[in-house]
Amino acid sequence: MKLLAAASAAPGFLQVVAMGLITVFVVLICLIILIKIMGALMAGSAKSTAPQPVPQPAPAPVPAVPQPNKQQLVAAISAAIAEDMGSGVNHIKIHSIRKL
Amino acid sequence: MKLLAAASAAPGFLQVVAMGLITVFVVLICLIILIKIMGALMAGSAKSTAPQPVPQPAPAPVPAVPQPNKQQLVAAISAAIAEDMGSGVNHIKIHSIRKL
Amino acid sequence: MKLLAAASAAPGFLQVVAMGLITVFVVLICLIILIKIMGALMAGSAKSTAPQPVPQPAPAPVPAVPQPNKQQLVAAISAAIAEDMGSGVNHIKIHSIRKL
Amino acid sequence: MEAIQNFLESTGFAVIANEPLDLVMLAISCVLLYLAIVKKFEPLLLLPIAFGMLLTNLPGAGMYHADYFAGGVINWEELGTGHGGLLDYLYLGVKLGIYPCLIFIGVGAGTDFAPLIANPKTLLLGAAAQLGIFVTYIGANLLGFTPAESGSIGIIGGADGPTAIYTTATLAPHLLGPIAVAAYSYMALVPVIQPPIMKLLTTKEERRIKMKQLRPVSKTEKILFPIMVTIFVSFMLPSAAPLVGCLMLGNLMRESGVVERLNKTVQNELMNIVTIFLGISVGATATAKNFLNLQTLAILAMGVVAFGMGSAGGVLLAKLMNVFSKEKVNPLIGSAGVSAVPMAARVSQVVGQKEDPSNFLLMHAMGPNVAGVIGSAVAAGVLLALFG
Amino acid sequence: MEAIQNFLESTGFAVIANEPLDLVMLAISCVLLYLAIVKKFEPLLLLPIAFGMLLTNLPGAGMYHADYFAGGVINWEELGTGHGGLLDYLYLGVKLGIYPCLIFIGVGAGTDFAPLIANPKTLLLGAAAQLGIFVTYIGANLLGFTPAESGSIGIIGGADGPTAIYTTATLAPHLLGPIAVAAYSYMALVPVIQPPIMKLLTTKEERRIKMKQLRPVSKTEKILFPIMVTIFVSFMLPSAAPLVGCLMLGNLMRESGVVERLNKTVQNELMNIVTIFLGISVGATATAKNFLNLQTLAILAMGVVAFGMGSAGGVLLAKLMNVFSKEKVNPLIGSAGVSAVPMAARVSQVVGQKEDPSNFLLMHAMGPNVAGVIGSAVAAGVLLALFG
Amino acid sequence: MEAIQNFLESTGFAVIANEPLDLVMLAISCVLLYLAIVKKFEPLLLLPIAFGMLLTNLPGAGMYHADYFAGGVINWEELGTGHGGLLDYLYLGVKLGIYPCLIFIGVGAGTDFAPLIANPKTLLLGAAAQLGIFVTYIGANLLGFTPAESGSIGIIGGADGPTAIYTTATLAPHLLGPIAVAAYSYMALVPVIQPPIMKLLTTKEERRIKMKQLRPVSKTEKILFPIMVTIFVSFMLPSAAPLVGCLMLGNLMRESGVVERLNKTVQNELMNIVTIFLGISVGATATAKNFLNLQTLAILAMGVVAFGMGSAGGVLLAKLMNVFSKEKVNPLIGSAGVSAVPMAARVSQVVGQKEDPSNFLLMHAMGPNVAGVIGSAVAAGVLLALFG
Ligand code: NA
Ligand code: NA
Ligand code: NA
């Protein structure tokens, strides 16, 4: 390693950065989607089956927000698709999401 | 290992079983004898010497049963001898034990 | 190793003993000096700077003893010098220390 | 671009195409996690085992390499150059027989042998309950397993996790996964497996037998017991010395009363640490190749037979003892001889109280229960002596 | 006399004449001890690291031999003949990647992912805060470090000690000393480094945004989360499996509720023991030759840049999210995405309350905070996949 | 039938015919267990040592193989192929010098050096009490032991278990058994060995000397002390660095106050675990061949001489100091300089109070007592430098 010398690995290191950031974002965005799916399934099964025997006491009145959940799901999926198509973070444009 | 094939180790495996069961029984029967001897020695030394300074509080009135102890000792020794003579568990016959 | 045989390592083993005892004494005497220097520095800095925010409660009234401390410092240094000059423990003679 | 290509090819999705069975293993590990967490099947070991199984089957993760231990030979070259994964290194404690011994020190420190010392003839029940081990040995032989494999499968019937793992790690390490899963699952299922057998083999009258109260056991006896057992059993069967010796070392720490801080540590922190390491690395051996085959099904089937036969053996010998002895034994305590401490003893208590709510069998069942631990260690010693 | 001569030549005073830089290292280790003890800079790790650095630079003491690990190859011959010192043997746990994984089990057991599950989009902040890692990677490359070295330096920006040590032990073990010191020192300096950046990049109005209360998270979700994350992340990036898998094993132990005694041990005794071994042996790699050079200064400089850029990345992405989403996010929680759990989240809370004492950001900041742990493990996985 | 024949030949009863001395060793281990449990002779170490001795002498058990460590060379081939027993693997921590260092971290964390810092001249007593080490070295040499063996025997006089084991494991591993037994037995016998010597060498007036109260020691001094001692002693004597460094690392953890959870763990769980491993594996080296010979008797005899001479050395130097110093020292605290913390200091207190019930020597005796730990570590360093 030559300190302060010209970087010998120049061709490629931007690729590393791109690949790294894209991977981090793709993985974590997919996790967002998975968590939302999990939450949706929980909510669904909670409705269809008997309530949990020992529900956690809600720390304060929490308004039920089923609709935004679905929208965020759509949003996250769109984002993930955009990512998957290879565009960097800066190029994401989400056109279709509106708050109803 | 060929699953469900004819057992190639057939000649011998019954010996293994016999040896295994006999060993387990012999060892544990000898332990019975040793524990009884230990108990007898304890009882003996407890009588001949001063009583234990802090005797464990008996959880309930326990009838003293010195005689059965000795009989069981005889029984266990007999059993061990029978084992030692090579007979399997099924062939043990104890003739001489009677409750006085 | 021949037990009870004539010691083959005879030439040298007294050297080992001398070196060992001298080293132990030199090292520990130097530690005495270092601890005293540390204590002196502490006392000095305690005076020159603000007092410690949470001073340890003294277990009982402790008379301040600055002078003996300095004397002991001199004594220990003298002892260390004596040691350094190669004399054994038995040959130390300290002439110059008097209690003021 | 080539880098991206390589990168994509290294993802689990690319690897899984060649190893589709890994998905099945992941599903199985999730089922085991479900059993451990929701059904509470011996969670202290089944949760780590299941998670180890999950980790080992993540395609490309390289946390365990079955080929570094292929043929029972440890590939020190790969391990020594740092190519091993976490589970490879932790597995060394299983492979070298260290963890089961350390756990047995903790087990011994947690075991009270007083009920056995007070009523030593319950050792016979602990011996009879090893019947399952040897019956299963025959069955496995007939199914075509090698003698060493058959011994490892039989030991499931010992109902004792560390003993089963110690024996299998020596005799048939490639079967560690299924055998450990079977052993711990069936130990958890003792309350399901045993009661029908116990009821089938006993009459209502037998189940109502009340046993006379156990005599108090002196501290001296409790201290002498582990020393005596270590020396005697090891003389009779040197191959049982590591298991029995460690069990009794722990027990001596407990009963001597002079090393309380060591006693506490071996029962708690040391045992917990070793349990985690043991669990996840035993689970790691359950790769698709080792686990997904007819053998595993055969092992699971024979395991339950082993448990059942062991329980039956204990009950039947108790009945036999009643033929010869005036002081009657409630045969329900016989099934506790399989060990599975203290669950099997609790099962005896519960089944007994169904017939007569005033009958307290728990302490009486603890005798055969702890005898069963010694019994399976001895049986393991026989198998190790013959095939190790 | 010759013996005395040899003896005197073996003292540290004689050795130091040839290695005068050791004195500088001793002074540096004392400064680090001062930072750990008086300034309370992450003392749980910095104190052992500093003392390890002290021990390794005692001339002639031989407690650590850098040459037994030269070129990334472990000299088993010397170690196996007992010539190694205590720190050589303890260092094996670092070199073989064992300690960071074990610590991550404890970290997972101590982490509550509920704020993240309740508000999963904070994962984006945890992703954005990894910006520092990759920006620093570029910088290190430009300064002439090799790609593997650059990756190890960049990972300082992950603000996660075990991840940094795990990555560096594989990619650039000769830089372990400075990288560990930088990582833990800057983690301690989070309350100093982050607030100016946070204020610079946000308006007063943004800092006063109140976020709506988090929904309660069910026990089932908390249990499924670690299993899901382990499987999914490992599929996407197998090289991240050891870190993520261990983190999630610990978390499953916590959330399952069925292995409380294991949970307690991994968070306490196991973690403490491994922390000491890790700290003193990582510190031991900081020999004068490895530490006293321009590289170390460059690493320290780039480390602080990495922290700053990561914090900025999180804040800026939070602002970007507010452009597209009606449900506003307080951008102060973005900086918590660097991890440095829970200090960075506390910094968000403190800076937020300075603008509006009624604003409680702590729980909201815990989302990106724990997301940052996952984020840096993923980033480490990328670097390990490319250069490992 | 042949199988049965082989089986019978493998029992301990068959093996013992060829190794009848094993029975003597088993008897000795039972005597040691008696001393540990009933007489409470340092049970935390003597119980594991005695049980390790018992396990190693069980004929055919194979839990320890002296020949895998013959001639000071570790037979990695046998150990690496899994042929080792539990005690072989645990013994590696002794052989490689790991356990004594880890125990010293715990000892340091448990030691309060304040009485020494308050009255540093008591270090002279801690130095004088090492007289026993070197007098015994001469005696062992004259009896025909090699210099390395003589040094290991002498170190018994250091009255410090980990130091004795660390030194002996390097210089004369074949003598570990008798030396460890002697060291721990005599440490337990300090209340028997020391009082007659103390009374013989002191006048009634000397025994009644009251010492002035110790000054309070500031927290800063307590924190600087371990750092200073580590650096200085290691410079003077690099071979003492492992022991002194670990002792002082533990003490710094204690005094710094910022790593309380590490401090707690090194004093408790880590120390307990290592104590067990150390004890049973040191005991395991006491095979009949190594233990049952005239050497052992000679070692036991010289050990008690070493203890006595050390105690006398401390007392006599205290008297000498009183000749030169106006501030009188009660010579009864001199014997505490052998270490054996805190028992020797308690003996000083008890003997002093017999003359004058109002005289509280305990805190004054703690100074030489902890100085003795440093003193023996330094003496060990000298021996290791010369013969290691
Ligand atoms: Na059993
Ligand atoms: Na991070
Ligand atoms: Na000493």
Side-chain angles (χ1 to χ4, degrees):
Chain A
M1 215 244 18
K2 296 168 222 149
L3 194 61
L4 294 169
S8 57
F13 77 74
L14 286 175
Q15 271 179 27
V16 168
V17 171
M19 207 188 303
L21 277 174
I22 291 171
T23 306
V24 171
F25 271 94
V26 169
V27 169
L28 296 205
I29 287 170
C30 291
L31 279 183
I32 294 176
I33 299 166
L34 286 170
I35 293 171
K36 287 191 175 285
I37 292 172
M38 179 176 76
L41 293 177
M42 288 296 112
S45 74
K47 271 173 213 156
S48 62
T49 68
Q52 293 279 90
V54 185
Q56 268 189 298
V62 177
V65 277
Q67 295 98 339
N69 260 6
K70 272 182 198 164
Q71 288 175 9
Q72 285 170 16
L73 184 59
V74 174
I77 291 172
S78 319
I81 291 167
E83 284 290 333
D84 234 352
M85 284 159 57
S87 52
V89 175
N90 305 339
H91 305 138
I92 299 175
K93 271 268 164 63
I94 300 171
H95 298 285
S96 57
I97 313 292
R98 282 173 303 127
K99 186 79 175 177
L100 294 179
Chain B
M1 214 247 16
K2 292 170 222 148
L3 193 61
L4 295 170
S8 58
F13 75 77
L14 285 176
Q15 271 180 26
V16 168
V17 171
M19 206 188 304
L21 277 174
I22 292 171
T23 307
V24 171
F25 271 94
V26 170
V27 169
L28 297 205
I29 287 170
C30 293
L31 281 183
I32 294 176
I33 299 166
L34 287 170
I35 293 171
K36 286 189 176 287
I37 293 171
M38 178 176 77
L41 293 177
M42 289 295 114
S45 73
K47 271 174 215 156
S48 62
T49 68
Q52 294 279 91
V54 186
Q56 266 187 299
V62 178
V65 277
Q67 296 97 337
N69 259 7
K70 272 183 198 164
Q71 288 174 8
Q72 286 169 18
L73 184 58
V74 174
I77 291 172
S78 319
I81 292 166
E83 285 290 332
D84 234 352
M85 284 159 58
S87 52
V89 176
N90 306 338
H91 304 139
I92 300 174
K93 273 267 164 61
I94 300 169
H95 298 284
S96 58
I97 314 293
R98 279 174 306 126
K99 187 81 179 175
L100 295 178
Chain C
M1 214 244 19
K2 293 170 223 147
L3 196 61
L4 295 169
S8 57
F13 76 76
L14 285 175
Q15 270 179 28
V16 167
V17 170
M19 207 188 305
L21 277 174
I22 292 171
T23 307
V24 171
F25 271 94
V26 169
V27 169
L28 297 204
I29 287 170
C30 292
L31 280 183
I32 294 176
I33 299 165
L34 287 171
I35 293 171
K36 288 192 174 285
I37 291 171
M38 179 176 77
L41 292 177
M42 289 295 112
S45 73
K47 272 174 215 155
S48 63
T49 67
Q52 293 279 89
V54 186
Q56 267 187 298
V62 177
V65 278
Q67 295 98 338
N69 259 6
K70 271 183 200 164
Q71 288 175 9
Q72 284 169 18
L73 184 59
V74 174
I77 290 173
S78 320
I81 290 167
E83 283 289 332
D84 234 352
M85 283 160 58
S87 53
V89 176
N90 305 339
H91 305 138
I92 299 175
K93 272 268 165 62
I94 301 171
H95 298 283
S96 57
I97 314 293
R98 280 175 304 126
K99 187 82 175 176
L100 295 180
Chain D
M1 282 307 102
E2 204 186 332
I4 294 174
Q5 181 77 11
N6 291 340
F7 192 82
L8 289 177
E9 277 171 12
S10 79
T11 69
F13 300 109
V15 176
I16 204 83
N18 300 322
E19 312 267 10
L21 291 178
D22 287 358
L23 287 178
V24 180
M25 289 308 296
L26 292 178
I28 291 174
S29 68
C30 287
V31 170
L32 291 174
L33 285 174
Y34 173 82
L35 293 176
I37 296 170
V38 181
K39 295 292 173 193
K40 302 200 172 37
F41 273 29
E42 296 277 325
L44 288 175
L45 259 148
L46 206 54
L47 188 146
I49 288 177
F51 210 90
M53 200 184 283
L54 191 155
L55 291 176
T56 205
N57 287 291
L58 292 170
M63 292 186 73
Y64 174 75
H65 300 80
D67 49 319
Y68 291 179
F69 302 95
V73 179
I74 303 172
N75 187 336
W76 289 104
E77 193 153 337
E78 292 289 344
L79 294 175
T81 44
H83 295 159
L86 175 69
L87 301 180
D88 287 314
Y89 297 116
L90 295 184
Y91 180 62
L92 289 173
V94 177
K95 184 72 196 147
L96 302 177
I98 297 169
Y99 298 154
C101 289
L102 296 182
I103 287 189
F104 251 38
I105 296 178
V107 170
T111 300
D112 179 8
F113 283 105
L116 177 62
I117 300 171
N119 191 10
K121 73 182 167 195
T122 56
L123 273 163
L124 289 172
L125 304 176
Q130 310 313 317
L131 185 67
I133 294 177
F134 296 102
V135 170
T136 309
Y137 174 82
I138 300 177
N141 254 296
L142 292 175
L143 282 174
F145 286 92
T146 67
E149 291 171 335
S150 301
S152 298
I153 296 167
I155 207 75
I156 298 172
D160 194 283
T163 299
I165 288 168
Y166 184 80
T167 309
T168 307
T170 304
L171 297 185
H174 55 291
L175 301 183
L176 253 182
I179 286 176
V181 167
Y184 285 102
S185 301
Y186 294 141
M187 279 161 70
L189 286 173
V190 150
V192 177
I193 296 171
Q194 288 194 329
I197 296 167
M198 293 157 78
K199 283 177 193 161
L200 186 72
L201 297 177
T202 53
T203 65
K204 200 176 180 71
E205 283 68 45
E206 284 171 332
R207 293 200 290 276
R208 304 183 86 156
I209 293 173
K210 287 200 182 175
M211 295 174 68
K212 80 160 194 243
Q213 200 164 9
L214 294 174
R215 73 170 173 93
V217 173
S218 73
K219 197 182 168 210
T220 313
E221 283 175 294
K222 288 194 210 167
I223 291 174
L224 289 178
F225 178 79
I227 301 170
M228 185 182 81
V229 172
T230 303
I231 295 177
F232 177 72
V233 174
S234 302
F235 262 80
M236 292 290 283
L237 198 63
S239 51
L243 288 174
V244 172
C246 287
L247 186 73
M248 293 303 157
L249 168 58
N251 191 246
L252 185 62
M253 286 182 181
R254 169 201 184 88
E255 302 298 354
S256 69
V258 292
V259 290
E260 202 43 40
R261 53 182 290 175
L262 304 185
N263 177 33
K264 198 179 140 283
T265 293
V266 295
Q267 281 191 54
N268 293 289
E269 288 78 20
L270 179 58
M271 193 154 171
N272 293 343
I273 291 171
V274 175
T275 296
I276 294 166
F277 291 180
L278 177 85
I280 58 178
S281 55
V282 163
T285 63
T287 57
K289 195 181 150 210
N290 272 343
F291 200 90
L292 289 180
N293 47 43
L294 280 177
Q295 280 185 31
T296 297
L297 290 181
I299 290 168
L300 290 171
M302 282 185 288
V304 75
V305 170
F307 260 69
M309 295 300 296
S311 309
V315 173
L316 290 174
L317 190 72
K319 289 169 66 117
L320 184 70
M321 284 162 69
N322 283 346
V323 173
F324 296 108
S325 165
K326 208 167 175 182
E327 209 175 291
K328 299 303 179 196
V329 160
N330 187 319
L332 292 178
I333 72 168
S335 58
V338 294
S339 46
V341 183
M343 189 121 44
R346 284 201 204 121
V347 169
S348 301
Q349 160 81 358
V350 167
V351 175
Q353 282 201 319
K354 268 192 194 144
E355 296 297 339
D356 178 353
S358 72
N359 201 358
F360 292 94
L361 291 174
L362 188 64
M363 282 317 287
H364 298 290
M366 284 311 295
N369 210 196
V370 298
V373 179
I374 301 175
S376 351
V378 171
V382 174
L383 296 170
L384 288 167
L386 291 172
F387 312 121
Chain E
M1 281 306 102
E2 203 186 333
I4 294 174
Q5 180 79 8
N6 291 340
F7 192 82
L8 288 177
E9 276 171 13
S10 78
T11 68
F13 300 108
V15 176
I16 204 82
N18 301 321
E19 313 267 10
L21 291 178
D22 287 358
L23 286 177
V24 181
M25 289 306 297
L26 291 177
I28 292 174
S29 68
C30 288
V31 170
L32 291 175
L33 284 174
Y34 174 82
L35 293 177
I37 296 170
V38 180
K39 295 292 173 193
K40 300 199 172 40
F41 273 28
E42 297 275 325
L44 288 175
L45 260 146
L46 207 54
L47 188 145
I49 288 176
F51 209 89
M53 199 183 284
L54 192 155
L55 292 176
T56 205
N57 287 292
L58 292 170
M63 292 186 72
Y64 174 75
H65 300 80
D67 49 320
Y68 290 180
F69 302 96
V73 179
I74 304 171
N75 188 336
W76 288 105
E77 194 153 337
E78 292 289 345
L79 294 175
T81 44
H83 296 159
L86 176 69
L87 300 181
D88 288 314
Y89 297 116
L90 295 184
Y91 179 62
L92 289 173
V94 177
K95 184 71 196 149
L96 301 176
I98 296 170
Y99 298 153
C101 289
L102 296 182
I103 287 188
F104 251 39
I105 296 178
V107 170
T111 302
D112 180 6
F113 284 105
L116 177 62
I117 301 172
N119 190 11
K121 74 182 166 194
T122 55
L123 273 162
L124 289 172
L125 303 176
Q130 309 315 316
L131 185 66
I133 293 177
F134 295 103
V135 169
T136 310
Y137 174 82
I138 298 178
N141 253 295
L142 292 176
L143 282 175
F145 286 92
T146 67
E149 290 171 334
S150 301
S152 298
I153 297 167
I155 207 74
I156 299 172
D160 194 282
T163 299
I165 288 168
Y166 184 81
T167 309
T168 307
T170 303
L171 297 183
H174 55 293
L175 301 183
L176 253 182
I179 286 177
V181 167
Y184 284 101
S185 301
Y186 294 141
M187 280 162 69
L189 286 173
V190 151
V192 176
I193 297 171
Q194 288 194 329
I197 297 167
M198 293 157 78
K199 283 178 191 158
L200 185 73
L201 296 176
T202 52
T203 64
K204 199 175 181 69
E205 283 68 44
E206 284 171 332
R207 293 200 290 276
R208 304 183 84 155
I209 292 173
K210 288 200 182 176
M211 295 175 67
K212 81 159 194 245
Q213 198 163 10
L214 293 174
R215 72 171 175 91
V217 173
S218 73
K219 196 183 168 209
T220 313
E221 283 176 292
K222 287 194 210 166
I223 292 174
L224 289 179
F225 178 78
I227 301 170
M228 187 181 79
V229 171
T230 304
I231 295 177
F232 176 73
V233 174
S234 302
F235 262 79
M236 292 291 283
L237 198 63
S239 52
L243 287 175
V244 171
C246 287
L247 185 72
M248 293 303 157
L249 168 58
N251 192 246
L252 185 62
M253 285 181 182
R254 169 201 184 89
E255 301 297 355
S256 69
V258 292
V259 290
E260 203 43 42
R261 55 181 288 175
L262 303 185
N263 176 35
K264 199 179 139 283
T265 294
V266 295
Q267 281 190 54
N268 293 288
E269 288 79 19
L270 179 58
M271 194 153 167
N272 293 345
I273 292 171
V274 175
T275 296
I276 295 166
F277 291 0
L278 177 86
I280 57 179
S281 56
V282 162
T285 63
T287 55
K289 195 181 150 211
N290 272 342
F291 200 89
L292 288 181
N293 48 42
L294 279 177
Q295 279 184 31
T296 296
L297 290 181
I299 289 169
L300 289 171
M302 283 185 287
V304 75
V305 171
F307 259 68
M309 295 298 298
S311 308
V315 174
L316 290 175
L317 190 73
K319 289 169 65 119
L320 184 71
M321 283 163 70
N322 283 347
V323 175
F324 295 108
S325 164
K326 207 163 173 185
E327 210 173 292
K328 299 304 180 198
V329 160
N330 187 318
L332 292 179
I333 72 168
S335 58
V338 294
S339 46
V341 183
M343 189 121 46
R346 282 200 206 122
V347 169
S348 302
Q349 161 80 359
V350 167
V351 176
Q353 281 202 322
K354 269 192 194 145
E355 296 296 339
D356 178 354
S358 73
N359 201 358
F360 292 94
L361 291 175
L362 187 64
M363 283 315 288
H364 298 290
M366 286 309 296
N369 210 196
V370 297
V373 180
I374 302 175
S376 356
V378 170
V382 174
L383 297 170
L384 289 166
L386 291 172
F387 311 121
Chain F
M1 284 307 102
E2 203 186 333
I4 295 172
Q5 180 77 11
N6 291 339
F7 191 82
L8 288 177
E9 277 171 13
S10 77
T11 69
F13 300 108
V15 176
I16 205 82
N18 301 320
E19 313 267 12
L21 292 178
D22 288 357
L23 287 177
V24 180
M25 289 307 297
L26 292 178
I28 292 174
S29 67
C30 287
V31 170
L32 291 175
L33 285 174
Y34 173 83
L35 293 176
I37 296 171
V38 180
K39 296 292 175 194
K40 301 199 174 38
F41 273 27
E42 296 276 325
L44 289 175
L45 259 147
L46 205 55
L47 187 145
I49 288 176
F51 209 89
M53 198 184 285
L54 191 155
L55 292 177
T56 206
N57 287 292
L58 292 171
M63 292 186 73
Y64 174 76
H65 299 81
D67 49 319
Y68 291 180
F69 302 95
V73 179
I74 303 172
N75 187 336
W76 288 104
E77 194 152 336
E78 292 290 344
L79 294 175
T81 44
H83 296 159
L86 176 69
L87 301 180
D88 288 314
Y89 297 116
L90 295 183
Y91 179 62
L92 288 173
V94 177
K95 185 73 196 147
L96 301 176
I98 297 171
Y99 298 154
C101 289
L102 296 183
I103 288 188
F104 251 37
I105 296 179
V107 170
T111 301
D112 180 6
F113 284 104
L116 178 61
I117 301 171
N119 190 10
K121 74 182 166 194
T122 56
L123 273 162
L124 289 172
L125 303 176
Q130 310 314 316
L131 184 67
I133 293 177
F134 296 103
V135 169
T136 309
Y137 173 82
I138 300 176
N141 253 296
L142 292 176
L143 280 175
F145 287 92
T146 67
E149 290 172 336
S150 301
S152 299
I153 296 167
I155 207 75
I156 299 173
D160 193 283
T163 299
I165 289 168
Y166 184 81
T167 309
T168 307
T170 303
L171 298 185
H174 56 291
L175 301 183
L176 254 181
I179 286 177
V181 166
Y184 285 103
S185 301
Y186 294 140
M187 279 161 70
L189 286 173
V190 151
V192 177
I193 296 171
Q194 289 194 328
I197 296 167
M198 293 157 78
K199 283 177 192 159
L200 185 71
L201 297 176
T202 52
T203 65
K204 201 176 179 69
E205 284 67 45
E206 283 171 332
R207 293 200 289 277
R208 304 184 86 157
I209 292 174
K210 287 201 184 177
M211 295 175 68
K212 81 160 193 244
Q213 199 163 9
L214 293 174
R215 74 169 173 94
V217 173
S218 72
K219 197 182 168 211
T220 312
E221 283 175 293
K222 288 194 209 167
I223 291 174
L224 289 179
F225 178 78
I227 301 171
M228 188 181 80
V229 172
T230 304
I231 294 177
F232 176 73
V233 174
S234 301
F235 262 80
M236 293 290 283
L237 197 63
S239 52
L243 287 174
V244 171
C246 287
L247 185 73
M248 293 302 159
L249 168 58
N251 191 247
L252 184 62
M253 286 183 182
R254 168 200 184 88
E255 300 298 355
S256 69
V258 292
V259 291
E260 202 42 43
R261 54 180 289 172
L262 303 186
N263 177 34
K264 198 179 141 285
T265 293
V266 295
Q267 281 191 55
N268 293 288
E269 289 78 19
L270 179 58
M271 193 154 170
N272 292 344
I273 292 171
V274 176
T275 297
I276 295 166
F277 292 179
L278 177 86
I280 57 178
S281 55
V282 162
T285 63
T287 56
K289 196 182 149 208
N290 273 342
F291 201 91
L292 289 181
N293 47 43
L294 279 177
Q295 279 184 31
T296 297
L297 290 181
I299 289 169
L300 289 171
M302 283 186 286
V304 75
V305 170
F307 260 69
M309 294 299 296
S311 308
V315 173
L316 291 173
L317 191 71
K319 289 169 65 117
L320 184 70
M321 283 163 69
N322 283 345
V323 174
F324 297 107
S325 165
K326 205 166 176 183
E327 209 174 291
K328 299 301 182 200
V329 160
N330 187 318
L332 291 178
I333 72 168
S335 58
V338 295
S339 46
V341 183
M343 190 119 46
R346 283 200 205 121
V347 169
S348 302
Q349 161 80 359
V350 167
V351 176
Q353 281 201 320
K354 269 193 194 142
E355 296 297 341
D356 178 353
S358 72
N359 200 358
F360 292 94
L361 291 174
L362 187 65
M363 283 316 288
H364 298 290
M366 285 310 295
N369 209 197
V370 298
V373 180
I374 300 175
S376 355
V378 170
V382 174
L383 296 170
L384 288 168
L386 291 173
F387 312 121

